[in-house]
Structure formats: structure tokens, C-alpha cells
Amino acid sequence: MYMFDNRITMENRPILEEYLNGFDYRTSGLSFTSLYMWRDINHFSWQIIGDYLCISGISHLELEDGIILPFLFPPLTRTGVYEPQKLHETLHTAKALFESKGQPFSIRLIPMHMLDLVRHSCPGEMRYIDDRPNYEYLYLLQDLINLTGRDYHSKKNHLNYFKKNYEYEYVPLTSGMTEEAMMFIKEFNDRKEVPDNERTLLEMEARAMEDVFRNIENVGYLAGAIRIEGKIEAIAIGGRLNRNTITEHVEKANVEYRGLYQAINNEFCKSVGANFKYINREEDMGIPNLRKAKLSYKPVKLIETYIVVCKEDYAKRK
């Protein structure tokens, strides 16, 4: 369900990054590495409307009455400035385009620090809905590298157990390791017992991962893997979010090795720690165990996100 004319490609990367870098958005989804990684699964497309670049997508995890609906990311500015009247025109043009295709209009994944921009451009028109499952977790890299203090006692114990009991090596993950990495993904997915609809999503994700592995250097991903007895058993893949923050898009490990998740996280953070101050480990999707795990690493900040809908549309749905 592509809403706009243009796709996320390497060819149009320069224009996308001109807008993605035009403002401090702070959310992982508004980075080229994330958009490229999930472009096919989430049907990302874009179009310049007025002064702003608009990106649309879908989420397979957020259904409305069992139906997957498209949404609009916050419109992107190239200049670092948002003019209320011009943003108003862009949003209403995008809304009309959604409706012309028979789709309801909403803005999703809009960070809290951008809400006033929408309020000033559309006074009294919008309803703002807290989107806790999509809050993103921001950590100090040095906290995750050092794991000092009582808060990290359990993490340090698991990590020390892993280091004491397994011979391993952490290596940069390169495109030349694609076949090996895909074997890891296949075995990782085969170990999961999930319903058919989730199995389909895993297969879609696997296809996305293969494309990512083959284009690690082209896209500029920062990635690493842990080998045990010469075999990949964990991977981490991230990308630059802004000048002092990296986003970790993917982290997977073989749970049969105690402490491996702690090890891949720690090694990945050490590998990028000289270049960044913070790491954004993305959202928990409302999954209780994932939320517990992400909170256990003691984020320094939660990047709050919201859903924005027109009041008149919200009233109709109710």
C-alpha cells in the first residue's frame, strides 16, 4: 500500500538525507538506514508536498479492526525551519491524498518535541494520542560498555559467565559474510515457535536482512557479529541517527548460550563507543518482556512519540 510516488532507494538517498538531516528528529525511524532496511516490509514511499518531504508507511504490528492502515511520518524540513501556514498546507494536502485513495489520515511516530509545531500550524484541529509502545529507549554508550553499579549487576554476571565459559570472537559484519549471516537468521527463526501470521513476518524480515547484509557498506550500516567455534551466533546492526547518537536496528542472539545477548550488546557498544555518546535501541512495541529488558538497561531518556489525527475523523471513528 504505497501512498506516494517515490520509493526508498540508493539513488534517491541524497535528497532524502538532505531532509532527514535538516532537523533534529531524534527518532530512529527518521534515518536512512532504518527507512532502507524496512522499506519493502513497511511500504515506505515519499513525496515532496509544498516545502516539506512526506514519507508514508504501514505497520504490520499496529492494526485497526484487523486492517493494516497507512500513516504519515512527521513531514521533514530541508532548512531546519517549520512555517505554520506552509506546514498546515502540506498536512491538508497529504490528508486529501490519503482520502482520495480511500484511506484514513494519521501522523505517527511524531516525537513530543515536534507536537507544538503541529499545534501552531493546525490550531484546534488535531487530537494527540500518547503512543507508549513506540517510545524509544536512549542510553549512554558508556553505561552499556562499563555496566558498573548495582543496576547492572545481573547484566555483568551474565556477561562474565559468557566470557568465562565460551571461546568467542567479535568481528565486523561485512557484505562478504552474507551467506553465513543468513544461515544464522534461518536457524534463529527456526528455533521460534510462532503462529502462521508471525511466521510470515519472520520470512519477510529474513528477506530484508539478506538485502541489508549485501549492502552493509553501501548503506553505511555499523554492524558486528559474535562467532563461537567459528560460527555466527549473534549479530547487531545499527546506523547513525545524528552526530552523537547511533541507533541499533537489529540485535539477535542464540539464547542457548547464556550471556550471549549481553555480550553482543556490550561488544557492539564498545565497537562504536569512540564515535558516539548515545545509543537509541528503538521501541518495545508494547511487548511486556521486551519492555522489561529495555528498561533493565537503565535508559537515560525515553523518546516519547505520539499519534496525531484530525478531531473530526477521530469523532467519526468513535
Side-chain angles (χ1 to χ4, degrees), residues 280-292:
N280 179 319
R281 299 188 68 221
E282 301 193 340
E283 70 288 336
D284 61 40
M285 299 174 287
I287 300 171
N289 288 343
L290 188 55
R291 180 171 298 181
K292 181 179 178 181

Side-chain angles (χ1 to χ4, degrees), residues 283-305:
E283 70 288 336
D284 61 40
M285 299 174 287
I287 300 171
N289 288 343
L290 188 55
R291 180 171 298 181
K292 181 179 178 181
K294 295 202 173 190
L295 288 171
S296 73
Y297 271 102
K298 306 303 175 183
V300 293
K301 183 178 179 59
L302 294 183
I303 309 298
E304 299 178 22
T305 59

Side-chain angles (χ1 to χ4, degrees), residues 37-38 184-185 205 209 212-213 221-224 235-239 247-253 261 264 268 280-282:
M37 181 177 288
W38 307 119
F184 164 76
I185 293 293
E205 182 189 72
M209 286 295 94
V212 166
F213 295 144
Y221 290 109
L222 300 169
I235 63 169
I237 304 172
T247 293
E248 187 184 43
H249 301 306
V250 175
E251 183 181 279
K252 296 180 184 291
Y261 263 109
I264 188 62
F268 179 73
N280 179 319
R281 299 188 68 221
E282 301 193 340

Side-chain angles (χ1 to χ4, degrees), residues 147 152-168 226 228 254-264 266:
L147 298 176
Y152 295 105
H153 182 71
S154 175
K155 307 291 184 192
K156 199 69 172 281
N157 280 347
H158 286 301
L159 179 60
N160 288 340
Y161 178 91
F162 178 81
K163 289 182 174 182
K164 181 179 178 180
N165 288 275
Y166 303 106
E167 291 289 333
Y168 77 98
I226 285 180
I228 301 174
N254 185 346
V255 294
E256 294 177 2
Y257 294 95
R258 176 186 163 187
L260 182 51
Y261 263 109
Q262 286 78 18
I264 188 62
N266 186 252

